[in-house]
Amino acid sequence: MKKNEKNIHKGHRRRLLDTVFKIGLDDLSNVQAMEFILFYIFPRGDVNPLAHRLLDRYKNIPTILEAPIYDLVKVEGMGETSAKKLSLLLNIYYRYTQEKASKQEKISSCGEIYDFIEALLRFKHREEVHVIAVNRSGRVLGTRCLARGTISLVAINLNEIALFVSAFNASGVIIVHNHPGGSCNPSAQDMKSHEKLEGSFEFISCDLVDDAIIGSDGIYSMKDLCLKRAFVDNQEYYNNAINELKNLNFSDSE
């Protein structure tokens, strides 16, 4: 780096840190916000050019944070270690929101329960299935991820759920999985899997409080067969949801 370039960047990290501390990230440009995020990945050096390259490739910060590691390393300046660190920033957010919600004294209303589910899975970019333990008062006792990747509720290990229930002395559980980038409307396979799962709970000594799907458009309850929360106010969505439910055929479920 030339001497005049060093003078330009001298103190730049400190100035940006002070700016963010005073006004937050909301009022920064995408490049400045991305640059600040990269400070946590690269302790030293000028990361402004890398911030530009990442935004040129992915267009916005959420897409950068959700990008797979194998694709991030294609960007000049991103090695495997830095790509992993950047990718894991979302896990810090998920851990925070999950524990923040679970530490409420009591989650007793439907709204609070679906707030918790939304924080848990709404922005995950790969399929996951989670089990949430609750007591009779409605308080969340704990959560566990049962599977990641391409999932089927049929393949869920009921022994693992039984051990989870026993560990927390739970009176009920909520099963939730996501459809990343897709609708929360259940597929025929989702409904068949739910029927098998619901029947299996007779042997676990606790109640299946809900079996929910979270998509980009809302949260659907397979137990109550209805949309519990919509993320978009879209009449076309409601019409499509009704038509899809009418077309589901459960008569051949095994």
Side-chain angles (χ1 to χ4, degrees):
M1 185 182 290
K2 296 179 181 179
K3 185 176 180 180
N4 62 337
E5 290 177 333
K6 287 184 178 179
N7 290 334
I8 291 173
H9 293 286
K10 184 178 180 180
H12 174 65
R13 285 180 174 241
R14 179 58 182 269
R15 290 193 296 273
L16 186 54
L17 172 62
D18 290 342
T19 299
V20 173
F21 189 79
K22 289 177 182 177
I23 68 173
L25 287 171
D26 291 345
D27 293 326
L28 299 185
S29 69
N30 276 351
V31 171
Q32 289 174 312
M34 191 67 235
E35 190 178 1
F36 181 74
I37 292 170
L38 291 173
F39 287 173
Y40 290 91
I41 311 301
F42 300 92
R44 293 174 296 278
D46 178 16
V47 294
N48 180 272
L50 178 56
H52 278 280
R53 287 194 291 271
L54 286 166
L55 286 165
D56 286 344
R57 183 177 181 86
Y58 298 107
K59 308 307 179 188
N60 57 62
I61 292 174
T63 307
I64 293 171
L65 297 179
E66 294 173 357
I69 292 170
Y70 72 80
D71 200 57
L72 283 171
V73 297
K74 295 177 183 178
V75 179
E76 181 186 350
M78 291 296 297
E80 183 179 351
T81 298
S82 55
K84 286 179 177 177
K85 288 181 178 179
L86 186 60
S87 180
L88 288 171
L89 289 178
L90 277 181
N91 283 284
I92 297 173
Y93 165 76
Y94 295 142
R95 180 68 179 262
Y96 169 80
T97 55
Q98 183 177 332
E99 292 200 11
K100 181 82 170 177
S102 66
K103 286 184 177 179
Q104 296 184 69
E105 286 300 314
K106 184 179 178 182
I107 295 179
S108 55
S109 71
C110 288
E112 290 172 336
I113 289 172
Y114 294 110
D115 284 345
F116 182 82
I117 290 174
E118 182 176 344
L120 184 66
L121 278 176
R122 180 177 179 182
F123 297 107
K124 292 291 181 75
H125 57 281
R126 63 174 173 171
E127 293 179 78
E128 296 184 6
V129 56
H130 288 250
V131 57
I132 304 168
V134 296
N135 65 12
R136 294 191 183 282
S137 299
R139 181 183 178 187
V140 171
L141 303 174
T143 66
R144 179 172 298 170
C145 180
L146 297 176
R148 289 188 175 94
T150 302
I151 58 172
S152 170
L153 296 184
V154 176
I156 290 177
N157 189 325
L158 292 174
N159 287 333
E160 186 175 354
I161 295 179
L163 290 172
F164 175 74
V165 167
S166 177
F168 286 96
N169 194 27
S171 61
V173 299
I174 299 168
I175 304 291
V176 58
H177 75 277
N178 60 333
H179 289 170
S183 171
C184 65
N185 291 331
S187 65
Q189 183 59 49
D190 284 330
M191 295 306 299
K192 291 177 182 179
S193 299
H194 169 72
E195 290 178 2
K196 292 183 179 180
L197 188 63
E198 196 167 37
S200 300
F201 264 79
E202 298 174 6
F203 307 99
I204 298 182
S205 300
C206 75
D207 296 327
L208 180 60
V209 177
D210 204 350
D211 183 8
I213 303 171
I214 182 165
S216 60
D217 47 12
I219 302 173
Y220 184 90
S221 168
M222 288 192 285
K223 191 172 180 67
D224 295 336
L225 294 177
C226 67
L227 184 71
K228 292 293 187 177
R229 173 169 294 183
F231 300 145
V232 291
D233 185 14
N234 187 336
Q235 188 60 46
E236 182 180 358
Y237 163 76
Y238 290 102
N239 293 337
N240 290 339
I242 292 172
N243 290 334
E244 287 187 25
L245 287 174
K246 287 179 179 178
N247 291 333
L248 289 176
N249 182 5
F250 307 122
S251 61
D252 59 347
S253 61
E254 298 174 357

